[in-house]
Amino acid sequence: MIEEKGGSAQILERLMSSYGVNTQKDLASALEIPPNNISGWTQRDSVPGNAIIKCALDTGVDLRWLVTGELANANYAGVGQLVGGDLYKQIISNGGKPVLRRIMDAYGFTMQKQLCELLGISSGTVSTWVRRNHFPGEVVVTCALDTGVSLQWLATGKGLQQKENAQLSVSSSIPRKNLVAGILQDAGYWEINLSFIAHTISEPIFISSNTGAWIVDMSVAGISNGRWLLGVDDKYDIYNITLLPGRRISVTNKGNTFSCGVDEVTAVGKVVIAMDFVF
């Protein structure tokens, strides 16, 4: 379930680098475990997820970097005030049903069967977690990397649930284009905080013309009822779309309406915010 790029030896090196120690004995001391545990990890070529989680929350290093070595060893904010043994005790005490519930929520699952099918584990394994109040460290790491949900929240139930890499949760720069005579012209970037929007905008862009402005989600492709940025014969504009039978649509813009086939226009993105200028 955890993709251990390079094997346990490389992961142990990253753990030691994160704690600033040079020997496995010192690493064991930092993790507050017996030194022979680490020897066992090396022999089995497997590092427990609990140790990886503790290191990430203790030191603030990037979780994906710890597991795969693919990202820079960069700190992130908000790891909480507990460290070391106190933090580890809190993590372990959040096993069983509580951590299973957070994992299910992170994936958006309503049935344990869905989680079992995704991870390739048996329902009996999940039942054992609950019965023994077990903290499934490897699954928590996998879930955090899969979903981007806050590791602190997933492991301890503390802090915010939002994804640590969620776009537009704070003030962000999004691409800006000016719409002039049906042509989209690059116009730099626009600063905005879109955290007030209930749903996620995956690929936002700000479009401005002399009559209005719009924020368009470019990741939405399939045409549906609503307002869209469309290309019609290589000219772009904002249109109101109504679906018709037979894969046809009714297209309205500035009081003019026409109908055509879905494939006769190019859906660039769906409008999520419209701003009309008042003069």
Side-chain angles (χ1 to χ4, degrees), residues 221-228 230 239-252 258-263 265 267 270:
I223 291 182
S224 60
N225 292 326
R227 191 173 297 186
W228 287 77
L230 295 183
Y239 297 89
N240 291 319
I241 299 298
T242 302
L243 296 179
L244 301 175
R247 288 186 55 77
R248 295 184 64 79
I249 56 176
S250 174
V251 183
T252 302
F258 66 90
S259 61
C260 66
V262 170
D263 298 330
V265 298
K270 189 168 186 178

Side-chain angles (χ1 to χ4, degrees), residues 16 35 94 207:
M16 287 190 288
N94 275 272
I207 307 292

Side-chain angles (χ1 to χ4, degrees), residues 33-259:
I33 59 174
N36 59 0
N37 283 20
I38 296 182
S39 300
W41 300 348
T42 303
Q43 293 172 2
R44 296 190 300 272
D45 195 28
S46 175
V47 178
N50 290 6
I52 297 173
I53 291 172
K54 185 178 186 298
C55 179
L57 294 178
D58 270 353
T59 67
V61 299
D62 182 79
L63 175 64
R64 188 177 295 274
W65 175 81
L66 275 178
V67 177
T68 69
E70 292 180 353
L71 297 180
N73 183 3
N75 287 347
Y76 64 93
V79 295
Q81 297 181 1
L82 293 179
V83 296
D86 291 337
L87 178 60
Y88 185 70
K89 290 176 183 177
Q90 185 180 83
I91 291 173
I92 297 302
S93 68
N94 275 272
K97 284 186 178 180
V99 72
L100 176 59
R101 180 68 269 163
R102 292 193 294 274
I103 292 170
M104 296 277 288
D105 289 345
Y107 278 117
F109 292 155
T110 57
M111 299 184 295
Q112 291 184 17
K113 178 182 178 182
Q114 294 171 288
L115 180 65
C116 293
E117 291 176 350
L118 175 70
L119 300 180
I121 59 179
S122 68
S123 58
T125 297
V126 177
S127 298
T128 300
W129 299 349
V130 176
R131 186 174 66 254
R132 298 182 179 178
N133 200 33
H134 173 66
F135 183 88
E138 290 82 358
V139 175
V140 170
V141 172
T142 300
C143 180
L145 295 177
D146 266 353
T147 66
V149 164
S150 163
L151 177 62
Q152 181 188 8
W153 173 82
L154 200 59
T156 68
K158 307 295 183 181
L160 301 177
Q161 181 183 355
Q162 83 269 7
K163 296 182 178 181
E164 292 176 352
N165 62 344
Q167 301 181 36
L168 307 175
S169 59
V170 295
S171 182
S172 303
S173 296
I174 66 175
R176 172 176 178 165
K177 292 183 182 292
N178 291 334
L179 182 60
V180 181
I183 299 174
L184 291 172
Q185 301 174 342
D186 290 335
Y189 292 86
W190 191 51
E191 293 286 337
I192 187 173
N193 184 340
L194 294 179
S195 61
F196 65 91
I197 298 177
H199 62 278
T200 300
I201 304 176
S202 299
E203 193 177 344
I205 186 171
F206 179 69
I207 307 292
S208 179
S209 75
N210 59 359
T211 60
W214 308 267
I215 295 176
V216 176
D217 190 348
M218 306 281 278
S219 68
V220 183
I223 291 182
S224 60
N225 292 326
R227 191 173 297 186
W228 287 77
L229 173 62
L230 295 183
V232 180
D233 293 333
D234 296 325
K235 296 291 185 180
Y236 297 92
D237 210 338
I238 303 294
Y239 297 89
N240 291 319
I241 299 298
T242 302
L243 296 179
L244 301 175
R247 288 186 55 77
R248 295 184 64 79
I249 56 176
S250 174
V251 183
T252 302
N253 174 267
K254 300 181 180 66
N256 299 315
T257 301
F258 66 90
S259 61

